Amino acid sequence: MKKKGMKHAHQRSITTQICMVIIGLVTGTVLLCWFLNTTFLEQYYSKMKTDQLVSGYDTVNRAAKKGNLSDDELDVQLDRLCDNGNIELLIISSDGTVIRSTSNDSLNMINRFMDVLFGAASDKGRREVVSTDSYSVLKVTDHRMSSEYLVLWGTLDDGNLVMMRTALESIRESVNIANRFLAYIGICGILLSTVIVVLVTQRITRPIRQLTDISHQMTELDFTAKYEEGGSIKEIEQLGQYMNQLSETLERAIGELKTANNELKSDIEKKEQIDEMRKEFLSNVSHELKTPLALIQGYAEGLQECINDDAESRSFYCEVIMDEAGKMNQMVQKLLTLNHLEFGNDAVTIDRFDITELIRGVIENSSLLLQQNEIELVFDEAQAFVWGDEFQIEEVITNYLSNAIHYAAGEKQIRIFYTYREEVLRVSVFNTGSCIPQEDIDKIWEKFYKVDKARTREYGGSGIGLSIVKAIMESHHRDCGVCNHPDGVEFWMELDQNNYTKQAEAFADVKNTVARIEKK
């Protein structure tokens, strides 16, 4: 982390870097120009002046060949050459007569030439630049005047002597002026380029900073910020568009991952619940089978050892064994039924049937139990048609009525009645007696749960009946429930009435088909 912090400390913004590069380039360019001016400008100027002197010599020599040294056209050419190039010209004949001169004082001019070329101090400050058979160009220093000259002297083709001179001192002054002017221009250029670079880089870096902020928010899984288009740089605009697309893609992907994670958590929780239910199921089954198995084993051993030899005792032992075996068989059958219902192995066949007729049939089958327990049953509802699986609904009514018979107390009365609602018919089975404790109401639908374990065992209940009821009603996508009254308990269920829609029938057909396919 320390190294990373040091690395960021040495980093600079793009504006600073561009400014440094541009200012460095401008400063370097100014310094390079100054160096070139100081080092090479004088040499270049000398070369140009030498070329001018040679060019002037060639012009005069051509005129001398033609014998036109006195021609007016030559006068114009020489005036232009001498005035523009700051050149002094002198042409002398072999007898010392001045043929042409750019000065009115020809004698003084001859003396200056002679002094420069043949003076006593000339050897120390004279350097040959160009030399041919016809002329020579010398670089001569005049120590008295502290000035340098380029001097051309030679012989024309007609035998006349020509001498030309130009001062070099002006070039040094020009270089100094040029360097001073370049310094002023360089400073202004640096300042101006700094302002321009700052403005331009800010225009470039503004969207880049925006993209940086967006990317930082994306690292914190915040995808609300989006790049706002409107810049003039095509590449940055495309980058912004791609950044927006990336943000949307990441947001969608993370949403899908969260959904998948939630589903995975839900699946894990369901698996844990299933494992817990499986353990609880095995524990409950073991507990429920332990007592009848112990009774069967005990009475069987008694028969085998002939504890009581009389026929009545043997008959009693056999009845107990058969009764306990019947209870075990009944519990296993209920468990199989519940398992089929919970896993959708039992196809639900939806038909329209008379619920009143079905209830009367269940009551008739339970009439012996009602008489033995001296229970009064009241049911006087008119004919009513509902939609559902008739055999499964009969199982629900049978379980409700069986519970009511075994738990009826006090006045020992059972009432079966209807409650008509918008599209459903509620069938209720009420019995007088003790209420169900409030903390047990939501648990009675669980497998093997018993409110009164001693009494449940007395009448042979296994704690599975209400679980079967719950599974059947869930397969019908209808509600069932229980509620306490001051004088007893009411169990109820709801079924579709005769206005059952065709869509529901189609759904039931599809569900039955899927169940049959899965069963195969």
Side-chain angles (χ1 to χ4, degrees), residues 256-290:
E256 293 174 354
L257 285 176
K258 288 183 178 180
T259 302
N261 186 46
N262 291 333
E263 292 177 354
L264 181 60
K265 288 182 180 179
S266 178
D267 292 340
I268 293 174
E269 291 176 357
K270 287 181 180 179
K271 184 179 181 301
E272 292 175 350
Q273 291 176 358
I274 292 173
D275 291 340
E276 190 66 28
M277 290 171 61
R278 184 182 293 109
K279 294 177 183 177
E280 183 182 358
F281 175 78
L282 292 175
S283 175
N284 290 329
V285 169
S286 300
H287 177 75
E288 292 295 329
L289 293 178
K290 181 172 63 176

Side-chain angles (χ1 to χ4, degrees), residues 138 210 245 247 281 409 416 421 436:
L138 304 177
Q210 184 182 355
Q245 294 176 8
S247 175
F281 175 78
I416 302 176
R421 296 176 179 267
I436 299 174

Side-chain angles (χ1 to χ4, degrees), residues 480-491:
C480 62
V482 60
C483 55
N484 288 320
H485 292 277
D487 56 344
V489 179
E490 173 193 350
F491 283 87

Side-chain angles (χ1 to χ4, degrees), residues 260-473:
N261 186 46
N262 291 333
E263 292 177 354
L264 181 60
K265 288 182 180 179
S266 178
D267 292 340
I268 293 174
E269 291 176 357
K270 287 181 180 179
K271 184 179 181 301
E272 292 175 350
Q273 291 176 358
I274 292 173
D275 291 340
E276 190 66 28
M277 290 171 61
R278 184 182 293 109
K279 294 177 183 177
E280 183 182 358
F281 175 78
L282 292 175
S283 175
N284 290 329
V285 169
S286 300
H287 177 75
E288 292 295 329
L289 293 178
K290 181 172 63 176
T291 300
L293 284 174
L295 289 173
I296 291 173
Q297 183 179 6
Y299 280 98
E301 289 176 353
L303 286 174
Q304 185 180 21
E305 295 177 5
C306 299
I307 295 177
N308 292 317
D309 262 348
D310 57 291
E312 183 177 352
S313 296
R314 289 196 299 272
S315 176
F316 173 73
Y317 281 21
C318 289
E319 286 178 1
V320 171
I321 292 173
M322 292 173 63
D323 183 52
E324 294 300 326
K327 290 178 180 178
M328 290 175 59
N329 180 62
Q330 184 180 12
M331 185 180 67
V332 170
Q333 291 297 327
K334 287 186 176 182
L335 284 173
L336 290 174
T337 301
L338 180 60
N339 182 70
H340 290 163
L341 287 169
E342 287 181 339
F343 288 94
N345 294 330
D346 266 3
V348 179
T349 304
I350 302 296
D351 294 311
R352 185 171 180 269
F353 63 92
D354 187 349
I355 184 67
T356 303
E357 182 182 350
L358 184 146
I359 294 174
R360 293 191 188 279
V362 174
I363 293 173
E364 184 178 348
N365 293 337
S366 304
S367 58
L368 182 59
L369 286 174
L370 291 169
Q371 292 175 5
Q372 289 176 350
N373 289 278
E374 299 178 351
I375 296 174
E376 177 188 3
L377 190 146
V378 178
F379 177 63
D380 55 0
E381 295 291 344
Q383 187 181 46
F385 288 90
V386 294
W387 290 87
D389 189 312
E390 186 173 357
F391 295 102
Q392 292 186 4
I393 298 304
E394 183 180 4
E395 179 75 16
V396 174
I397 298 296
T398 301
N399 273 288
Y400 277 176
L401 184 57
S402 176
N403 275 347
I405 291 173
H406 291 293
Y407 283 100
E411 298 180 1
K412 285 194 171 184
Q413 186 182 73
I414 296 176
R415 295 196 304 274
I416 302 176
F417 58 92
Y418 297 157
T419 302
Y420 292 91
R421 296 176 179 267
E422 291 183 359
E423 295 185 357
V424 298
L425 174 68
R426 173 174 287 193
V427 181
S428 300
V429 179
F430 170 82
N431 66 274
T432 57
S434 301
C435 295
I436 299 174
Q438 194 64 34
E439 63 271 14
D440 294 324
I441 284 183
D442 293 332
K443 299 178 181 178
I444 60 175
W445 308 99
E446 299 176 3
K447 292 187 287 291
F448 300 108
Y449 188 83
K450 303 171 185 177
V451 177
D452 187 353
K453 295 179 175 57
R455 188 175 176 190
T456 304
R457 177 67 195 165
E458 180 183 341
Y459 74 82
S462 60
I464 303 176
L466 291 179
S467 299
I468 293 176
V469 170
K470 186 72 172 178
I472 289 174
M473 297 313 298

